[in-house]
Amino acid sequence: MTFSIKRTDSTDPDFVELVRHLDAELSRINGSDDAFYAQFNKIDKINHVVLIYDNDRPIACGAIKQFSNTAMEVKRMFTLPNYRGKGTASMLLKELEKWAKELDYKKCVLETSARQPDALALYRKNGYQVISNYGQYIGVENSICFEKEI
């Protein structure tokens, strides 16, 4: 497999399509909690999107958006099921961190679900530390928040 990386924004049709798959998967995982999380996952104003391609096929996506003056929040991480376990998510995360650093941010933060063991393992493997839940996730039992200095 030959993977390539593309930086773009949330208007990219490949990103929109991958997010459609992500939202369907999250809806199954989150069940009755889905509406709560969905309100924080709009993609209309994301200026920093990374896509990974296998030849010409878009297979993974992720994004960062400003969280504070020093931090970017990682959002909308997704890899097509057939491509999981091949290192694409770590590649994606590293590119997002690199971009955030180029923009002079000092760290990345993110939220994921306790119901997503693969995501939890990915973030831990890539040096993210669990932090207290922030913002809208304070008091949300299913949410686990992370941060990493970049």
PDB file of all heavy atoms in Angstrom, residues 113-134:
ATOM      1  N   SER A 113     -14.460   8.544  23.349  1.00  0.00           N
ATOM      2  CA  SER A 113     -15.437   7.788  24.123  1.00  0.00           C
ATOM      3  C   SER A 113     -14.805   6.604  24.844  1.00  0.00           C
ATOM      4  O   SER A 113     -13.964   5.904  24.281  1.00  0.00           O
ATOM      5  CB  SER A 113     -16.519   7.289  23.161  1.00  0.00           C
ATOM      6  OG  SER A 113     -17.307   6.290  23.755  1.00  0.00           O
ATOM      7  N   ALA A 114     -15.236   6.379  26.048  1.00  0.00           N
ATOM      8  CA  ALA A 114     -14.811   5.186  26.789  1.00  0.00           C
ATOM      9  C   ALA A 114     -15.248   3.923  26.049  1.00  0.00           C
ATOM     10  O   ALA A 114     -14.703   2.845  26.293  1.00  0.00           O
ATOM     11  CB  ALA A 114     -15.401   5.213  28.195  1.00  0.00           C
ATOM     12  N   ARG A 115     -16.208   4.059  25.139  1.00  0.00           N
ATOM     13  CA  ARG A 115     -16.708   2.917  24.355  1.00  0.00           C
ATOM     14  C   ARG A 115     -15.858   2.624  23.126  1.00  0.00           C
ATOM     15  O   ARG A 115     -16.226   1.785  22.305  1.00  0.00           O
ATOM     16  CB  ARG A 115     -18.149   3.183  23.904  1.00  0.00           C
ATOM     17  CG  ARG A 115     -19.122   3.400  25.039  1.00  0.00           C
ATOM     18  CD  ARG A 115     -20.522   3.686  24.491  1.00  0.00           C
ATOM     19  NE  ARG A 115     -21.412   4.057  25.565  1.00  0.00           N
ATOM     20  CZ  ARG A 115     -22.112   5.185  25.603  1.00  0.00           C
ATOM     21  NH1 ARG A 115     -22.027   6.066  24.624  1.00  0.00           N
ATOM     22  NH2 ARG A 115     -22.903   5.438  26.614  1.00  0.00           N
ATOM     23  N   GLN A 116     -14.734   3.332  22.972  1.00  0.00           N
ATOM     24  CA  GLN A 116     -13.881   3.150  21.800  1.00  0.00           C
ATOM     25  C   GLN A 116     -12.467   2.733  22.229  1.00  0.00           C
ATOM     26  O   GLN A 116     -11.536   3.536  22.205  1.00  0.00           O
ATOM     27  CB  GLN A 116     -13.838   4.435  20.977  1.00  0.00           C
ATOM     28  CG  GLN A 116     -15.184   4.757  20.352  1.00  0.00           C
ATOM     29  CD  GLN A 116     -15.095   5.991  19.489  1.00  0.00           C
ATOM     30  OE1 GLN A 116     -15.207   7.105  19.972  1.00  0.00           O
ATOM     31  NE2 GLN A 116     -14.883   5.772  18.198  1.00  0.00           N
ATOM     32  N   PRO A 117     -12.295   1.472  22.576  1.00  0.00           N
ATOM     33  CA  PRO A 117     -10.989   1.019  23.059  1.00  0.00           C
ATOM     34  C   PRO A 117      -9.859   1.203  22.049  1.00  0.00           C
ATOM     35  O   PRO A 117      -8.718   1.479  22.445  1.00  0.00           O
ATOM     36  CB  PRO A 117     -11.212  -0.461  23.398  1.00  0.00           C
ATOM     37  CG  PRO A 117     -12.483  -0.849  22.715  1.00  0.00           C
ATOM     38  CD  PRO A 117     -13.294   0.408  22.580  1.00  0.00           C
ATOM     39  N   ASP A 118     -10.147   1.088  20.760  1.00  0.00           N
ATOM     40  CA  ASP A 118      -9.103   1.285  19.755  1.00  0.00           C
ATOM     41  C   ASP A 118      -8.614   2.737  19.753  1.00  0.00           C
ATOM     42  O   ASP A 118      -7.419   2.994  19.622  1.00  0.00           O
ATOM     43  CB  ASP A 118      -9.600   0.915  18.350  1.00  0.00           C
ATOM     44  CG  ASP A 118      -9.838  -0.579  18.193  1.00  0.00           C
ATOM     45  OD1 ASP A 118      -9.420  -1.352  19.083  1.00  0.00           O
ATOM     46  OD2 ASP A 118     -10.443  -0.976  17.185  1.00  0.00           O
ATOM     47  N   ALA A 119      -9.540   3.677  19.900  1.00  0.00           N
ATOM     48  CA  ALA A 119      -9.162   5.096  19.946  1.00  0.00           C
ATOM     49  C   ALA A 119      -8.340   5.381  21.205  1.00  0.00           C
ATOM     50  O   ALA A 119      -7.313   6.057  21.145  1.00  0.00           O
ATOM     51  CB  ALA A 119     -10.411   5.978  19.913  1.00  0.00           C
ATOM     52  N   LEU A 120      -8.767   4.840  22.339  1.00  0.00           N
ATOM     53  CA  LEU A 120      -8.025   5.043  23.586  1.00  0.00           C
ATOM     54  C   LEU A 120      -6.598   4.514  23.444  1.00  0.00           C
ATOM     55  O   LEU A 120      -5.635   5.180  23.840  1.00  0.00           O
ATOM     56  CB  LEU A 120      -8.737   4.345  24.754  1.00  0.00           C
ATOM     57  CG  LEU A 120     -10.134   4.871  25.091  1.00  0.00           C
ATOM     58  CD1 LEU A 120     -10.814   3.969  26.097  1.00  0.00           C
ATOM     59  CD2 LEU A 120     -10.055   6.293  25.611  1.00  0.00           C
ATOM     60  N   ALA A 121      -6.457   3.345  22.852  1.00  0.00           N
ATOM     61  CA  ALA A 121      -5.128   2.748  22.657  1.00  0.00           C
ATOM     62  C   ALA A 121      -4.287   3.597  21.707  1.00  0.00           C
ATOM     63  O   ALA A 121      -3.092   3.800  21.940  1.00  0.00           O
ATOM     64  CB  ALA A 121      -5.265   1.323  22.126  1.00  0.00           C
ATOM     65  N   LEU A 122      -4.891   4.095  20.638  1.00  0.00           N
ATOM     66  CA  LEU A 122      -4.182   4.939  19.676  1.00  0.00           C
ATOM     67  C   LEU A 122      -3.594   6.170  20.355  1.00  0.00           C
ATOM     68  O   LEU A 122      -2.414   6.485  20.176  1.00  0.00           O
ATOM     69  CB  LEU A 122      -5.137   5.385  18.556  1.00  0.00           C
ATOM     70  CG  LEU A 122      -4.599   6.498  17.651  1.00  0.00           C
ATOM     71  CD1 LEU A 122      -3.511   5.959  16.728  1.00  0.00           C
ATOM     72  CD2 LEU A 122      -5.733   7.121  16.849  1.00  0.00           C
ATOM     73  N   TYR A 123      -4.410   6.871  21.133  1.00  0.00           N
ATOM     74  CA  TYR A 123      -3.939   8.110  21.743  1.00  0.00           C
ATOM     75  C   TYR A 123      -2.856   7.830  22.778  1.00  0.00           C
ATOM     76  O   TYR A 123      -1.847   8.541  22.831  1.00  0.00           O
ATOM     77  CB  TYR A 123      -5.111   8.910  22.310  1.00  0.00           C
ATOM     78  CG  TYR A 123      -6.076   9.316  21.216  1.00  0.00           C
ATOM     79  CD1 TYR A 123      -7.430   9.034  21.293  1.00  0.00           C
ATOM     80  CD2 TYR A 123      -5.615   9.959  20.065  1.00  0.00           C
ATOM     81  CE1 TYR A 123      -8.301   9.384  20.265  1.00  0.00           C
ATOM     82  CE2 TYR A 123      -6.472  10.308  19.034  1.00  0.00           C
ATOM     83  CZ  TYR A 123      -7.816  10.023  19.146  1.00  0.00           C
ATOM     84  OH  TYR A 123      -8.663  10.367  18.124  1.00  0.00           O
ATOM     85  N   ARG A 124      -3.032   6.795  23.581  1.00  0.00           N
ATOM     86  CA  ARG A 124      -1.999   6.440  24.572  1.00  0.00           C
ATOM     87  C   ARG A 124      -0.688   6.075  23.873  1.00  0.00           C
ATOM     88  O   ARG A 124       0.391   6.504  24.275  1.00  0.00           O
ATOM     89  CB  ARG A 124      -2.487   5.296  25.450  1.00  0.00           C
ATOM     90  CG  ARG A 124      -3.541   5.745  26.444  1.00  0.00           C
ATOM     91  CD  ARG A 124      -3.887   4.660  27.458  1.00  0.00           C
ATOM     92  NE  ARG A 124      -4.802   5.175  28.452  1.00  0.00           N
ATOM     93  CZ  ARG A 124      -6.095   4.832  28.531  1.00  0.00           C
ATOM     94  NH1 ARG A 124      -6.601   3.953  27.692  1.00  0.00           N
ATOM     95  NH2 ARG A 124      -6.861   5.357  29.453  1.00  0.00           N
ATOM     96  N   LYS A 125      -0.786   5.274  22.805  1.00  0.00           N
ATOM     97  CA  LYS A 125       0.404   4.849  22.058  1.00  0.00           C
ATOM     98  C   LYS A 125       1.158   6.041  21.481  1.00  0.00           C
ATOM     99  O   LYS A 125       2.380   6.000  21.339  1.00  0.00           O
ATOM    100  CB  LYS A 125      -0.040   3.893  20.937  1.00  0.00           C
ATOM    101  CG  LYS A 125       1.084   3.413  20.022  1.00  0.00           C
ATOM    102  CD  LYS A 125       0.575   2.423  19.009  1.00  0.00           C
ATOM    103  CE  LYS A 125       0.021   3.156  17.812  1.00  0.00           C
ATOM    104  NZ  LYS A 125      -0.337   2.297  16.690  1.00  0.00           N
ATOM    105  N   ASN A 126       0.442   7.108  21.160  1.00  0.00           N
ATOM    106  CA  ASN A 126       1.043   8.288  20.555  1.00  0.00           C
ATOM    107  C   ASN A 126       1.382   9.380  21.570  1.00  0.00           C
ATOM    108  O   ASN A 126       1.599  10.534  21.194  1.00  0.00           O
ATOM    109  CB  ASN A 126       0.136   8.831  19.447  1.00  0.00           C
ATOM    110  CG  ASN A 126       0.270   8.017  18.178  1.00  0.00           C
ATOM    111  OD1 ASN A 126       1.196   8.226  17.402  1.00  0.00           O
ATOM    112  ND2 ASN A 126      -0.629   7.066  17.974  1.00  0.00           N
ATOM    113  N   GLY A 127       1.435   9.013  22.849  1.00  0.00           N
ATOM    114  CA  GLY A 127       1.931   9.936  23.865  1.00  0.00           C
ATOM    115  C   GLY A 127       0.923  10.877  24.489  1.00  0.00           C
ATOM    116  O   GLY A 127       1.300  11.826  25.173  1.00  0.00           O
ATOM    117  N   TYR A 128      -0.353  10.634  24.283  1.00  0.00           N
ATOM    118  CA  TYR A 128      -1.374  11.476  24.902  1.00  0.00           C
ATOM    119  C   TYR A 128      -1.621  11.015  26.336  1.00  0.00           C
ATOM    120  O   TYR A 128      -1.625   9.824  26.621  1.00  0.00           O
ATOM    121  CB  TYR A 128      -2.684  11.429  24.087  1.00  0.00           C
ATOM    122  CG  TYR A 128      -2.614  12.289  22.848  1.00  0.00           C
ATOM    123  CD1 TYR A 128      -1.903  11.875  21.735  1.00  0.00           C
ATOM    124  CD2 TYR A 128      -3.225  13.540  22.815  1.00  0.00           C
ATOM    125  CE1 TYR A 128      -1.803  12.684  20.602  1.00  0.00           C
ATOM    126  CE2 TYR A 128      -3.135  14.349  21.695  1.00  0.00           C
ATOM    127  CZ  TYR A 128      -2.417  13.908  20.587  1.00  0.00           C
ATOM    128  OH  TYR A 128      -2.329  14.719  19.489  1.00  0.00           O
ATOM    129  N   GLN A 129      -1.837  11.997  27.221  1.00  0.00           N
ATOM    130  CA  GLN A 129      -2.088  11.734  28.640  1.00  0.00           C
ATOM    131  C   GLN A 129      -3.543  12.091  28.954  1.00  0.00           C
ATOM    132  O   GLN A 129      -4.042  13.112  28.485  1.00  0.00           O
ATOM    133  CB  GLN A 129      -1.172  12.603  29.513  1.00  0.00           C
ATOM    134  CG  GLN A 129       0.309  12.452  29.197  1.00  0.00           C
ATOM    135  CD  GLN A 129       0.845  11.081  29.550  1.00  0.00           C
ATOM    136  OE1 GLN A 129       0.515  10.528  30.590  1.00  0.00           O
ATOM    137  NE2 GLN A 129       1.660  10.518  28.671  1.00  0.00           N
ATOM    138  N   VAL A 130      -4.176  11.264  29.782  1.00  0.00           N
ATOM    139  CA  VAL A 130      -5.551  11.555  30.214  1.00  0.00           C
ATOM    140  C   VAL A 130      -5.533  12.806  31.089  1.00  0.00           C
ATOM    141  O   VAL A 130      -4.650  12.966  31.945  1.00  0.00           O
ATOM    142  CB  VAL A 130      -6.152  10.362  30.987  1.00  0.00           C
ATOM    143  CG1 VAL A 130      -7.515  10.717  31.567  1.00  0.00           C
ATOM    144  CG2 VAL A 130      -6.273   9.143  30.068  1.00  0.00           C
ATOM    145  N   ILE A 131      -6.479  13.694  30.833  1.00  0.00           N
ATOM    146  CA  ILE A 131      -6.635  14.918  31.633  1.00  0.00           C
ATOM    147  C   ILE A 131      -8.080  14.984  32.124  1.00  0.00           C
ATOM    148  O   ILE A 131      -8.940  14.204  31.681  1.00  0.00           O
ATOM    149  CB  ILE A 131      -6.306  16.187  30.811  1.00  0.00           C
ATOM    150  CG1 ILE A 131      -7.196  16.280  29.554  1.00  0.00           C
ATOM    151  CG2 ILE A 131      -4.823  16.224  30.460  1.00  0.00           C
ATOM    152  CD1 ILE A 131      -7.109  17.606  28.791  1.00  0.00           C
ATOM    153  N   SER A 132      -8.354  15.931  33.011  1.00  0.00           N
ATOM    154  CA  SER A 132      -9.732  16.145  33.454  1.00  0.00           C
ATOM    155  C   SER A 132     -10.579  16.550  32.253  1.00  0.00           C
ATOM    156  O   SER A 132     -10.103  17.268  31.362  1.00  0.00           O
ATOM    157  CB  SER A 132      -9.797  17.262  34.494  1.00  0.00           C
ATOM    158  OG  SER A 132      -9.047  16.901  35.627  1.00  0.00           O
ATOM    159  N   ASN A 133     -11.820  16.101  32.239  1.00  0.00           N
ATOM    160  CA  ASN A 133     -12.716  16.473  31.143  1.00  0.00           C
ATOM    161  C   ASN A 133     -12.866  17.988  31.090  1.00  0.00           C
ATOM    162  O   ASN A 133     -12.946  18.650  32.122  1.00  0.00           O
ATOM    163  CB  ASN A 133     -14.078  15.809  31.315  1.00  0.00           C
ATOM    164  CG  ASN A 133     -14.045  14.336  30.964  1.00  0.00           C
ATOM    165  OD1 ASN A 133     -12.977  13.744  30.781  1.00  0.00           O
ATOM    166  ND2 ASN A 133     -15.202  13.724  30.882  1.00  0.00           N
ATOM    167  N   TYR A 134     -12.873  18.509  29.884  1.00  0.00           N
ATOM    168  CA  TYR A 134     -12.956  19.957  29.684  1.00  0.00           C
ATOM    169  C   TYR A 134     -14.263  20.343  29.016  1.00  0.00           C
ATOM    170  O   TYR A 134     -14.952  19.518  28.410  1.00  0.00           O
ATOM    171  CB  TYR A 134     -11.766  20.447  28.848  1.00  0.00           C
ATOM    172  CG  TYR A 134     -11.616  19.799  27.484  1.00  0.00           C
ATOM    173  CD1 TYR A 134     -12.409  20.180  26.403  1.00  0.00           C
ATOM    174  CD2 TYR A 134     -10.664  18.794  27.268  1.00  0.00           C
ATOM    175  CE1 TYR A 134     -12.261  19.591  25.158  1.00  0.00           C
ATOM    176  CE2 TYR A 134     -10.506  18.203  26.022  1.00  0.00           C
ATOM    177  CZ  TYR A 134     -11.307  18.607  24.969  1.00  0.00           C
ATOM    178  OH  TYR A 134     -11.168  18.023  23.734  1.00  0.00           O
TER     179      TYR A 134
END
